[in-house]
Amino acid sequence: MDLADFDREAVLASFLAESEEGLDLMERVLVQMESSPSDPELVHNIFRVAHSIKGNATSLQLSELAGVAHVVEDLLDVFREQHTLPSPDLISLLLKAVDELRAMVSTASTGNQELTPGQQNLRREIAHEVKKRSERAVNANGSAGDSGSAAKADTLPGPGHRTLRADVEKLDHMLDLTGEIVIAQGRLRRLIQKLGTEQGRAMLEMHREAERLYMDLQSEVMSIRMVPVGPLFRQLVRSVRDLARSHGKMARLEVVGGDVEVDTTVLEQLKDPLLHLVRNAVDHGLEKPEVRERQGKNPCGVIRLTAAHSGGNIIVTLQDDGAGFDRERILDKARRVGLVSAKDEIREQDIYDLVFQAGFSTAEAVTDLSGRGVGLDVVRRNIDTLRGTVEISSTAGKGSTITIRLPLTLAIIEGFLVRVGAETFVVPLEHVTECTELPAEQRCSEASGILSLRGTALPYVRLRHAFSLSGEAPKRENIVVVKINERYAGIAVDELLGGMQTVVKPLGRAFRAVPGIAGSTVLGDGRVGLIIDVPSLLRGVMQSSSQAQA
Amino acid sequence: MGAPNQGKNQLPLSTVQYLTFLTAGEEYAIGIGKVKEIIEYEAVTTVPNTPIWIRGVTNLRGRVVPVVDLAVKFGLPASRISKFSCVIITEVMFQGEELTMGVLADSVCQVIELSADEIEATPAFGTRVKTEYLLGMGALGKKFCLILDIDKVLSTDELLAVTESVADEGSVHAPAVDLGADAPAKQKAAHFEAGA
């Protein structure tokens, strides 16, 4: 019965992966049971999960883990037999069991482990529930419920198509390599073009062929990295449920577009901001059930999380039907902490922008959820790092909508190359709307200025100043016009060099959050070029300009 | 590894190899275990809003590696680039992880072997380098070379502190009134982040 060590390793690895998936499913189904308590089939699905975890744990000699899985299985079996669904309290208990199982599974590789007192309690509590219920069943039916339905449950649904688990690090490396090939090919093409001979032309033809094949390979590599947003969104379903319960509110999260795909790195980094926004919606947005009823709303608040594609972007919207953002309170608070002065006229959009400022929070009491004044500014920073934007729109009494726009992938962007002095910078093309020469009569040597573009005022920032680069500005300067959050601004540079597919590389751990810089890339000549973080570069100038206009 | 234990409970004859190089006229040494390779100095891109002793970043076969000018770090004028200039690629420990960083050198000199008893403790004063950056001094004939604790020299704790303060200034921007009122809020935020 003893498994050789290496066999055990392999079995353990697949046990970990399988159990994780199973527990995710269990969690999802439990939450679903609560909102649509009409489908007894649901119990069958998760019974199977508990059963297979128990079986696998036993064969790996993880008897404590198997024990907990066993009582969970028993409890679910009771509901299965009685064709009923667990009450909300029991669902909470089962969800707690899911959490504990998850914790035990993740530490399973270290061998069989003692149960913590909390886990022992949980196990006893569940066992107690089982006993209570099955006794009732015995009394009602006169026969004991048979818990041995193992044979059926052993057959897990077979995979529809063949899949393979791969380490994300390997995918990252593959992507790095494809990026390197782009650069190497660019340099090779330039060399061949220089040749100019008959042979050179033939080589160029071959090279084009290779480039086409390469493009196909690259898009395949990119597509492997794309994962659906559904699993992340569904985790939040559980969070919303738990949060609402602990705050005496009723809320349910609806997920739309769960099969929309996005790069795995983007998804990973979207997790924290989304959790934050969802918490914020439950804590600040949704009203207590009695308040909602008084206003003629359904006592159970609805938060709708939607994902959709739009061009090269994914758009995630979080919509709630709560009270909406309180404009007056935001303004009041902003004036008190000095973010705006009393006289300033503020545009609707700008008011909501204030909540993303560091240190801003309107919550009167500090709860465990929010009100600490850290939060939405972190959300904004996270989304900036993903080169995305976030916007709020809100109607008092009706609810609010938060729209997050993110690029589908972080790895490769269409870049627009510009030169300042000896340095080449990359402006992400998605921000660029047009380029224009800075008219001589509007030139000044200031760090920033305002330019008249077809009659409208366009604030611009001079890159040379913003980045303290050496050298004098040339006689003719150019302006790259960019658009952020429906507003336009300009970046003054020495020369426009044109577009290029750019492989984004992080600047590395040595640098953290360099203002104005989003990352780096290797240029065609092998030098490192810096990618400009347009939102952070322009945030200052945008704000002062909107105040100037008002 | 590579770092001498300053003599305590150490076999007297154990020797360690060091790479020596010139920066601002002084010969320094790094334990050879820390050195990955030496590359020519070419095409270093300046990164704005970073400390001046970060010369920039360079492309090491597709990896973006920061390059540090030790002369500036030690409070001297920036190194001049000559045909002998090179970048010593080192692996330093940072928050428990290995980080690849380049050290700009005016020229690379030699590889020497020093046993523990050939290394003298750093005097409390008289060196132009902060003593906390040094592991000791090795004798080179009549001269000495300063043995650098490269993990400490390139400790990016300092670097992070600098970039963060720049970031804060950058994000405080437009409304000039908020400086006073914003400060406690920022402290608070820092407090909670530390507590989390």
Side-chain angles (χ1 to χ4, degrees), chain A residues 173-190:
Chain A
H173 187 59
M174 262 162 86
L175 192 71
D176 272 354
L177 286 176
T178 55
E180 292 313 306
I181 299 175
V182 172
I183 293 157
Q185 285 205 315
R187 294 168 85 168
L188 182 60
R189 180 167 9 90
R190 234 171 301 157

Side-chain angles (χ1 to χ4, degrees), chain A residues 180 337-339 358-359 372 374 423 467 505 507 509-515 517 520 522 526-528 530 540 543-544, chain B residues 43 45-46 48-50 54 57-59 62 64 66 94-95 97 99 159-160 163-164 166 173 175 177-178 181 188-189:
Chain A
E180 292 313 306
V337 299
L339 287 173
R372 295 173 190 172
V374 283
E423 304 286 356
F467 288 166
K505 292 173 183 293
L507 262 181
R509 285 166 48 81
F511 302 100
R512 196 168 57 187
V514 180
I517 302 290
S520 61
V522 178
R527 288 177 65 102
V528 177
L530 299 174
Q543 273 187 359
S544 50
Chain B
T45 302
T46 318
N49 302 331
T50 49
I54 302 270
V57 286
T58 194
N59 169 19
V64 176
F94 171 61
Q95 292 178 352
E97 265 181 62
L99 201 64
L159 163 59
L160 294 179
T163 49
E164 270 182 1
V166 174
H173 44 244
V177 275
D178 74 351
K188 193 169 130 199

Side-chain angles (χ1 to χ4, degrees), chain A residues 396-450:
Chain A
K398 291 258 168 62
S400 53
T401 306
I402 298 174
T403 308
I404 302 171
R405 185 182 287 266
L406 296 169
L408 283 181
T409 174
L410 294 179
I412 294 188
I413 59 165
E414 288 296 329
F416 187 76
L417 302 190
V418 297
R419 185 182 63 78
V420 179
E423 304 286 356
T424 304
F425 294 92
V426 182
V427 185
L429 198 61
E430 57 183 324
H431 293 306
V432 180
T433 58
E434 63 179 302
C435 297
T436 177
E437 195 175 316
L438 181 58
E441 69 276 11
Q442 300 198 18
R443 283 198 54 192
C444 60
S445 52
E446 307 283 308
S448 60
I450 300 212

Side-chain angles (χ1 to χ4, degrees), chain A residues 176-215:
Chain A
D176 272 354
L177 286 176
T178 55
E180 292 313 306
I181 299 175
V182 172
I183 293 157
Q185 285 205 315
R187 294 168 85 168
L188 182 60
R189 180 167 9 90
R190 234 171 301 157
L191 281 178
I192 300 174
Q193 276 165 345
K194 264 194 210 155
L195 276 178
T197 58
E198 185 61 36
Q199 225 174 0
R201 268 191 289 281
M203 276 164 81
L204 202 57
E205 197 50 44
M206 269 316 292
H207 187 68
R208 290 224 178 86
E209 177 90 32
E211 273 182 330
R212 263 195 300 279
L213 289 172
Y214 162 71
M215 289 304 284

